[in-house]
Amino acid sequence: MSPRSASVNEELRRRSRERLLQATIELVGERGFEATTLGDIAHRAGAARGLVSYYFPGKRQLLQSAVHRLMHLTLQAALEREPRPAGPDAGRELMARAIDAILGLAHDHPLLMRTHMAGILTADGFIQCPEQQRLAQLLRETVVAYGSPDPDADYPLLRALLMGAVVPMLLPGASMPRVRLRAELFQRYGLAWELGVPPGEEPPGGTADARSGTGCPVSGSRAGSGR
């Protein structure tokens, strides 16, 4: 039997890594972080225990990569959902979809996202990984489509605003409703309430700007230019 080509080996490694990431999402979402072991993850992924350590230095790093992959895939699906936005308001629709995708993850996976945010705020900090880089690229492309004249400055701001909205959604005992946080972000970016995927609730009082689609776009950008 002839040896596998380098491209075949690379594809097998990619699939193994993705199975480990998916298994992490499933198990941490079911059991929590502390109750999930690396052995559990390897077993769920159908991989050898040593393969986990080959790809990831520890469980925290594995979880961050797994959640970033989930965020990337969720955001990608939202941005590419049919009908694809077009015309002068395409940038606003994409921004709305991005906001709704990230807030939706916090709403649908509170335990997973709370564990993820806690890890980022520990000594491990924010870990750069391929999954995080793919997520960052999608968010940057969204800012560009929105019409930002300075995406290198406006992308980190969007990331910070999304993280700032996710934290109060997940705060035990003092959480804020998604609808309120969505309204604030939509007002910040001058987005009409009906864009994206509205959560099925009326916008809170005092957010006329969010309903009408007026507001303060980032860095003086041309909101909704679709550029």
Side-chain angles (χ1 to χ4, degrees):
M1 179 181 295
S2 59
R4 291 193 297 258
S5 66
S7 61
V8 170
N9 285 331
E10 180 62 29
E11 177 64 15
L12 291 173
R13 285 192 292 269
R14 183 189 68 79
R15 291 181 183 180
S16 294
R17 194 174 190 277
E18 290 188 351
R19 285 199 303 271
L20 291 170
L21 294 171
Q22 182 60 34
T24 303
I25 291 294
E26 295 171 2
L27 288 170
V28 174
E30 294 168 9
R31 307 176 184 178
F33 181 75
E34 297 299 334
T36 299
T37 69
L38 293 178
D40 294 334
I41 293 169
H43 180 73
R44 175 69 66 93
R49 167 64 180 81
L51 196 61
V52 182
S53 300
Y54 174 78
Y55 288 119
F56 305 98
K59 192 165 66 168
R60 280 287 181 191
Q61 292 84 348
L62 172 56
L63 178 63
Q64 276 206 40
S65 294
V67 174
H68 283 140
R69 176 177 179 268
L70 176 63
M71 295 172 72
H72 164 252
L73 294 177
T74 302
L75 179 58
Q76 184 177 50
L79 296 176
E80 295 179 355
R81 187 181 67 248
E82 298 291 346
R84 297 286 188 91
D89 287 331
R92 286 186 177 186
E93 171 63 21
L94 290 172
M95 180 64 76
R97 290 185 183 191
I99 292 171
D100 284 334
I102 302 304
L103 295 186
L105 279 174
H107 178 269
D108 297 337
H109 303 277
L111 174 59
L112 182 70
M113 294 299 290
R114 187 179 297 119
T115 306
H116 172 64
M117 296 301 295
I120 289 177
L121 296 173
T122 65
D124 293 329
F126 194 73
I127 297 167
Q128 301 289 336
C129 61
E131 290 73 26
Q132 184 274 328
Q133 292 167 359
R134 295 186 189 103
L135 173 64
Q137 183 61 32
L138 280 181
L139 286 174
R140 191 180 188 282
E141 289 171 0
T142 300
V143 168
V144 171
Y146 175 75
S148 167
D150 188 4
D152 288 335
D154 289 334
Y155 151 65
L157 177 60
L158 174 60
R159 182 182 65 193
L161 289 170
L162 289 172
M163 291 178 67
V166 165
V167 169
M169 284 184 65
L170 302 173
L171 192 62
S175 62
M176 290 187 65
R178 173 174 53 161
V179 64
R180 179 64 195 179
L181 295 163
R182 182 184 194 266
E184 291 297 320
L185 287 170
F186 270 45
Q187 182 176 9
R188 172 68 177 79
Y189 285 98
L191 306 175
W193 182 258
E194 63 269 16
L195 294 177
V197 184
E201 304 172 56
E202 289 297 320
T207 58
D209 286 347
R211 289 192 291 270
S212 65
T214 60
C216 303
V218 292
S219 296
S221 62
R222 298 192 302 276
S225 67
R227 186 164 58 94

